Amino acid sequence: MSAPVKLSGWGRHPRLTCRLETPADEAAVARLLAEGGPLIARGAGRAYGDSALNAALTVSTRRLNRMIAFDPELGLLTAEAGVVLGDIIRALLPHGWFPMVTPGTKYPTLGGLIAADVHGKNHHAAGSFGAHTRWIDLMGADGAVSRLHPGDDLFAATVGGMGLTGIILRAQIALQPVESAWIRETVVPASGLDALMASFDAAAETTYSVAWVDALAQGADLGRGLLLLGEHAKRDELDFRRRAAPYQWPARGRVRVPLDAPSFAVSRPTIWAFNQLYWWKGCRTARGGPHLVDWDRYFYPLDALSDWNRLYGPRGFLQFQCVLPESGARDGLAEILEATAAAGAGFLAVLKKFGPDQSLFSFPTAGWTLALDLPARRHALGLVDRLEEIAVARGGRFYLAKDAHLTRARFDASEPRAEAFRRFRTEHNLAERFASAQSERLGL
C-alpha cells in the first residue's frame, strides 16, 4: 500500500491527502477493486477541482498508456485509458489524422476525455468527445470488464459520468482526416457582448469558434472580445515551403513557472494591463486578415506555459463555467460579466456556443458557455456564489470537470438529471464503490 500523498486538480484547490495507487495492468486494477472500499480513477489530474480525488483510494491510470491499434482506412484508434491526447496527436497527425474533438489543453488522458465528455471549439458542429467514441472497456464494481457501445445505458452514463460508473480501461475513438498540421485562423474583434454574439452567429458554418472576453470591461464595452475562427488548412492553401511537408510544424518552446506567484500577480491592475495588451494585439492581428497558425498554437495556447496554474499563487484558483440556454442567454451573460467586472477578479474569460445535448449526464447543451478563472481567495469565493446564483436563475448548468465549489442544493437546482443519475448508480451497485470528493459534496 502506498503512503498517502497530497493531491489536487489543476486548479490546486482543494488539496486532499489521498492514498494514490498506480496499477500497471488490468489485473492490478482488479485487485484494488477487490479491496472493497470506495475509489475513483484519475488520469493526468487536469480536471480543475475535486472530481478525481478520493482520500480512501485514488487510482491513477497513467501506467495504462499504450496505443494498441490504429485503422488507417477508417481513422479508428484503440488505446488504453492513460494515453495522453498530445501523444495521440504527435503519433497520428504526421499520417493525416487529428482528434474530432479537443479541449483547450493537450494533456488530459483518454479516460479523462471520456469521463468528462469534453467539448472543444467545434461543439456546434461536431458535438462532444463521446459522440466519437466507438466503444469503452469498463471495469465495474465486481472487477468484471464490459465492452460498452453507443446505445447501451451504461455507455451513456459513463460518457460524462465523471468516473462514477467504473474504471475506463480502454476505448476506441474516431479521428478526422486533415490535409495539414495548420489552421487557417481569422480574428474578429467585437466591441461589446451583442456584437460578439452576433459574430458567432454570422460564423455558424465555421468549424472552430471561440472567443476571448475582456472580463473587466464595463459600460458600453461590456463583453468586448476577440472571436477566433479556425478551419483545418488544405494542402493547396499552404505556401510552397509548407506544402512540401504539410504535416510538419515548428517546434514550440515551453516556459516553466518555477514558483508560486505572489497574490498581486493576478489582481485587478495586472488583469487590466493584460487585457488591454491582448485586445490591442488581437485587433492588430485582425487587420492582417486570415493567417496560418500551427495546431499547437491554435488549440493549446496556454500549454506553452508549463505549470501556469502556479500564477494564481499557493491557494490555487477556481474556474466557473456554466452553459445558459439560448433563450435569455444574452441577459444572463451580461449579468455574469457585470458582476465579474465589478469585483475585478475575472481572468481568462472564454465564450463558446454549444450544439444540443448528446449524453445522459454530459455538460454541453444548446446555448452559450462562459468560463472564468478566479483566484481562490475569500472575495472570489463570494463572487462564485453570486455567479452560480445567476446561472441557476437563468436555467444554466455547470461543468463538473471544472467545479470545486457547488453545493448540493445549487447543483440540484441547476441539474434536473441528477436524481436519475443517482438512481442509476444505486440500481447498478455503483454508488458505494466509485466516489470522489466531488460526488460526495454533490450527493451523487
Side-chain angles (χ1 to χ4, degrees):
M1 182 181 295
S2 299
V5 296
K6 281 281 190 182
L7 289 178
S8 71
W10 185 246
R12 305 177 75 206
H13 172 87
R15 292 182 176 88
L16 299 181
T17 299
C18 303
R19 174 190 167 197
L20 178 68
E21 299 288 349
T22 309
D25 54 36
E26 184 177 317
V29 177
R31 286 193 293 270
L32 292 171
L33 269 168
E35 294 180 7
L39 57 83
I40 196 69
R42 175 185 175 92
R46 285 283 168 156
Y48 279 46
D50 51 1
S51 59
L53 302 177
N54 184 307
L57 179 56
T58 300
V59 179
S60 171
T61 62
R62 293 303 300 274
R63 293 174 71 186
L64 306 174
N65 60 1
R66 295 180 306 137
M67 284 182 254
I68 299 168
F70 181 69
D71 184 330
E73 299 298 322
L74 300 177
L76 297 177
L77 171 69
T78 302
E80 291 182 326
V83 171
V84 173
L85 178 63
D87 292 338
I88 294 173
I89 297 172
R90 291 187 190 93
L92 296 180
L93 181 56
H95 301 283
W97 296 94
F98 194 80
M100 293 290 296
V101 171
T102 174
T105 173
K106 59 181 176 290
Y107 295 118
T109 61
L110 178 59
L113 294 165
I114 294 169
D117 195 20
V118 298
H119 56 274
K121 300 173 175 66
N122 60 342
H123 188 273
H124 62 287
S128 49
F129 199 85
H132 310 285
T133 301
R134 296 295 181 257
W135 53 257
I136 300 166
D137 279 352
L138 185 77
M139 183 174 287
D142 59 358
V145 178
S146 301
R147 178 155 294 184
L148 313 177
H149 294 88
D152 299 341
D153 289 345
L154 190 52
F155 181 98
T158 298
V159 172
M162 301 307 297
L164 299 175
T165 63
I167 297 180
I168 298 171
L169 298 175
R170 292 170 292 274
Q172 185 180 82
I173 61 170
L175 285 78
Q176 60 178 316
V178 295
E179 295 186 20
S180 78
W182 298 86
I183 303 295
R184 189 174 72 255
E185 181 186 60
T186 302
V187 180
V188 182
S191 59
L193 182 59
D194 291 330
L196 186 57
M197 295 176 77
S199 295
F200 267 100
D201 289 336
E205 300 303 315
T206 304
T207 301
Y208 299 106
S209 57
V210 63
W212 166 84
V213 181
D214 183 350
L216 292 189
Q218 295 176 291
D221 292 333
L222 182 76
R224 76 168 180 172
L226 300 167
L227 177 60
L228 309 177
L229 304 174
E231 298 284 358
H232 288 282
K234 298 184 183 300
R235 185 170 181 173
D236 60 11
E237 295 174 324
L238 306 180
D239 59 37
F240 178 79
R241 178 177 58 84
R242 292 178 177 135
R243 196 177 305 166
Y247 297 113
Q248 288 185 6
W249 60 89
R252 187 183 186 196
R254 295 182 70 197
V255 177
R256 183 173 178 267
V257 179
L259 300 169
D260 292 337
S263 59
F264 62 79
V266 180
S267 58
R268 182 188 283 269
T270 57
I271 296 171
W272 181 88
F274 172 86
N275 288 0
Q276 296 300 314
L277 178 62
Y278 197 83
W279 170 255
W280 172 80
K281 183 179 178 182
C283 290
R284 186 181 67 174
T285 301
R287 288 194 290 270
H291 53 279
L292 293 176
V293 182
D294 68 79
W295 63 273
D296 200 2
R297 287 172 172 82
Y298 179 77
F299 289 105
Y300 315 114
L302 282 175
D303 284 351
L305 194 61
S306 180
D307 298 326
W308 62 262
N309 52 354
R310 303 190 75 173
L311 292 173
Y312 290 90
R315 296 180 185 176
F317 71 101
L318 302 168
Q319 186 174 98
F320 166 84
Q321 184 167 2
C322 71
V323 57
L324 302 180
E326 187 81 40
S327 60
R330 189 271 173 205
D331 291 343
L333 292 171
E335 197 173 354
I336 289 170
L337 290 170
E338 285 167 353
T340 303
F347 192 46
L348 294 178
V350 174
L351 181 68
K352 293 194 285 284
K353 193 169 187 181
F354 279 162
D357 290 13
Q358 292 182 311
S359 184
L360 179 69
F361 202 57
S362 296
F363 167 63
T365 189
W368 297 82
T369 180
L370 180 69
L372 293 160
D373 287 357
L374 303 162
R377 302 169 196 156
R378 184 175 302 173
H379 73 285
L381 296 175
L383 174 60
V384 174
D385 278 325
R386 175 64 185 136
L387 301 184
E388 289 173 354
E389 289 170 356
I390 294 170
V392 170
R394 297 286 179 174
R397 67 169 66 150
F398 303 98
Y399 192 17
L400 296 187
K402 301 293 181 68
D403 164 61
H405 183 268
L406 275 171
T407 63
R408 174 170 178 169
R410 198 169 288 153
F411 173 67
D412 284 354
S414 70
E415 187 49 87
R417 304 171 298 172
E419 277 306 313
F421 190 70
R422 291 183 181 111
R423 286 196 303 272
F424 183 91
R425 297 223 313 134
T426 300
E427 291 167 0
H428 290 79
N429 301 313
L430 301 171
E432 293 183 0
R433 301 305 310 281
F434 303 105
S436 64
Q438 181 184 68
S439 73
E440 292 169 354
R441 172 166 49 87
L442 301 180
L444 285 173

